[in-house]
Amino acid sequence: MIVIHSEVPIRSDSKPKASDILERMAVESRKEPGVIDYRVTFDIERPTVARIIEQYKDWSAVESHDSSSHLERFQESIEPHMRSEPHLFQYEVTNKIEAEGP
């Protein structure tokens, strides 16, 4: 499984509009073949930082997502609302194990 974690700094005056754009992106992305999950949240400690957590079956699914038209539209739409460049982190996961909570 491939996991991509993005941190997207949003301008505070753009948060409502950016939230709509991010939500549309998540809904469209979850429809793609090979996408296990795609979620967007806002950081509690830094409320203008959106966190995107993407889970894919394999690199082929990532490549398909990267070439999708809705990703291109998203990038064009979100850019005016960003405070600075996003940070992306990619992980290759061999096992996903549900852990017990506290």
Side-chain angles (χ1 to χ4, degrees):
M1 173 175 41
I2 309 302
V3 176
I4 301 174
H5 171 210
S6 304
E7 297 176 355
V8 184
I10 301 297
R11 292 189 354 240
S12 58
D13 62 327
S14 287
K15 188 174 176 185
K17 179 65 176 168
S19 294
D20 290 342
I21 294 166
L22 288 157
E23 182 179 11
R24 281 195 311 272
M25 180 62 182
V27 168
E28 288 300 312
S29 296
R30 285 193 295 267
K31 295 176 185 176
E32 295 176 42
V35 173
I36 297 169
D37 199 14
Y38 194 107
R39 297 291 163 180
V40 179
T41 64
F42 277 91
D43 191 308
I44 291 174
E45 295 175 346
R46 297 183 298 160
T48 56
V49 174
R51 296 189 181 277
I52 304 171
I53 309 297
E54 308 167 47
Q55 296 178 21
Y56 299 92
K57 286 184 182 178
D58 53 29
W59 283 110
S60 176
V62 173
E63 291 168 7
S64 178
H65 172 75
D66 286 348
S67 64
S68 68
S69 59
H70 62 268
L71 176 59
E72 185 176 330
R73 285 191 307 274
F74 166 75
Q75 290 171 331
E76 291 171 3
S77 299
I78 200 68
E79 187 175 358
H81 304 287
M82 294 187 334
R83 192 175 66 247
S84 59
E85 290 296 314
H87 294 94
L88 283 75
F89 307 92
Q90 297 178 335
Y91 306 88
E92 289 186 58
V93 179
T94 56
N95 293 314
K96 178 180 177 181
I97 302 167
E98 187 170 345
E100 291 186 30

